[in-house]
Amino acid sequence: VSTQSTWGMWYWIILARHGGLGQIKIVLKHNLKLVPGFSWAMQFAFFLFISRKWEADEKLLSRQMRTLCRITGYPFKILFFPEGTDFCAKSKAASDRFADREKLPRYSYVLHPRTRGAAFCISSLAQLSAIGGSGEGVPFVVQDATVGYRGPIPSGWDGLFRGVFPDEIHILAERFTASELPLEQDGVEKWCLERWVVKEERLKEFYESSSGGFLNTNMVSHRTSGVKMALAMVYWTVYTSTVTFLIFTSLPMFIWFVVYSVALLSITRWAGGLEGLEMKAHGL
């Protein structure tokens, strides 16, 4: 559960550094599933796509939670972003209007979250942890992450592509076990709202103090090697350019690309995606 949508990229880097990158499942908007190429990798990884139509999303998320818990011995991490969008003037104004309508406090550093989907998944996994998803208990914790930036603050992916990177990224992670959380969805929704009050206070302290980090926390510092970053840039530039060149100059490569694309587009359109096939394979 996190704030700031671009933080997912930083979390991705942390998992790549410390292990577990292959276990992550990110909750995304359904329209991203329809993007050729980009979405296929996410379907292979069993990312969770939601339409924000709760009647359909509830059934789908229930199937997905049970499928993941049925894969015995497979640890997984689900990344939720309840705010749903980047913090900017437009989203801040919408959050303020919601707060005024619902008689809630206005926030200065976070947006009011959409809690239903995250609360449903947390509640479902907490209960599966208690009763056992496939005959034995499923270990379950919630990592609540709050992100603060020193220097330029990126706003969406367009800012990152323009080279707007912060000087420092501070991620405050707090861990909660199933025994520390309510099991019912209503209780989890209330817990999420309470966490956002805490996030607002933590970020206010972070940006208004000169401490250099979140107050009253243990700080672990990581710096990425410039040589490693340069090598990664060279590798992915060469790899992407080579594959693109071969698709348009090699007939076997072009045929493979067309067949592969048609097959995956068909699976996405008529079988609910690759993750849909996996759920059916588990009888869900």
Side-chain angles (χ1 to χ4, degrees):
V1 182
S2 71
T3 56
Q4 289 283 355
S5 64
T6 48
W7 101 279
M9 188 174 72
W10 319 132
Y11 187 60
W12 196 286
I13 294 171
I14 291 173
L15 290 177
R17 185 191 297 268
H18 297 286
L21 183 58
Q23 302 166 359
I24 191 171
K25 318 295 177 188
I26 305 178
V27 181
L28 298 168
K29 296 176 183 178
H30 183 266
N31 56 2
L32 292 175
K33 187 176 181 177
L34 306 178
V35 180
F38 176 69
S39 70
W40 299 337
M42 297 188 292
Q43 291 181 43
F44 272 116
F46 205 92
F47 281 17
L48 313 180
F49 298 92
I50 57 175
S51 62
R52 290 186 175 174
K53 297 177 182 177
W54 181 240
E55 185 175 344
D57 287 341
E58 182 179 20
K59 294 177 182 177
L60 179 61
L61 289 172
S62 178
R63 292 174 62 205
Q64 290 169 329
M65 297 302 102
R66 286 180 287 147
T67 298
L68 289 169
C69 289
R70 281 191 180 186
I71 305 175
T72 306
Y74 176 70
F76 59 90
K77 301 174 177 66
I78 300 178
L79 175 59
F80 300 101
F81 177 54
E83 289 179 337
T85 188
D86 290 301
F87 190 100
C88 62
K90 183 178 179 180
S91 59
K92 172 69 166 61
S95 179
D96 288 345
R97 288 194 298 270
F98 173 81
D100 294 343
R101 186 171 65 251
E102 300 296 325
K103 294 182 173 52
L104 297 171
R106 288 190 176 193
Y107 289 144
S108 298
Y109 298 93
V110 296
L111 305 175
H112 281 277
R114 297 180 175 93
T115 59
R116 181 182 289 179
F120 176 81
C121 292
I122 292 172
S123 175
S124 297
L125 291 173
Q127 292 180 52
L128 287 168
S129 174
I131 65 176
S134 57
E136 54 186 77
V138 181
F140 170 78
V141 297
V142 172
Q143 294 278 3
D144 181 13
T146 305
V147 181
Y149 298 107
R150 295 297 186 199
I153 299 178
S155 178
W157 294 103
D158 57 333
L160 296 179
F161 288 133
R162 293 198 308 270
V164 181
F165 280 85
D167 300 323
E168 295 179 355
I169 304 158
H170 295 250
I171 300 178
L172 174 62
E174 298 173 84
R175 185 176 185 270
F176 300 88
T177 63
S179 62
E180 298 174 286
L181 298 168
L183 288 180
E184 299 302 322
Q185 183 177 341
D186 289 346
V188 179
E189 287 195 45
K190 182 180 178 182
W191 176 83
C192 285
L193 293 175
E194 291 171 350
R195 293 304 307 168
W196 251 253
V197 174
V198 175
K199 288 175 183 290
E200 171 75 7
E201 294 173 352
R202 291 281 177 82
L203 287 170
K204 184 175 187 293
E205 293 173 348
F206 177 86
Y207 286 111
E208 294 184 0
S209 73
S210 57
S211 64
F214 287 102
L215 299 179
N216 303 315
T217 59
N218 295 321
M219 186 182 300
V220 179
S221 178
H222 293 282
R223 296 191 179 276
T224 302
S225 165
V227 174
K228 289 182 178 179
M229 288 193 291
L231 289 174
M233 179 65 73
V234 170
Y235 171 81
W236 285 109
T237 301
V238 172
Y239 175 82
T240 304
S241 301
T242 301
V243 171
T244 303
F245 175 78
L246 289 174
I247 287 173
F248 290 101
T249 59
S250 168
L251 182 59
M253 188 73 170
F254 179 76
I255 293 173
W256 170 84
F257 173 75
V258 170
V259 172
Y260 188 80
S261 299
V262 170
L264 287 174
L265 285 170
S266 300
I267 291 171
T268 301
R269 175 64 179 83
W270 287 290
L274 294 167
E275 76 281 14
L277 293 179
E278 186 167 355
M279 286 188 287
K280 291 175 182 177
H282 286 275
L284 294 169

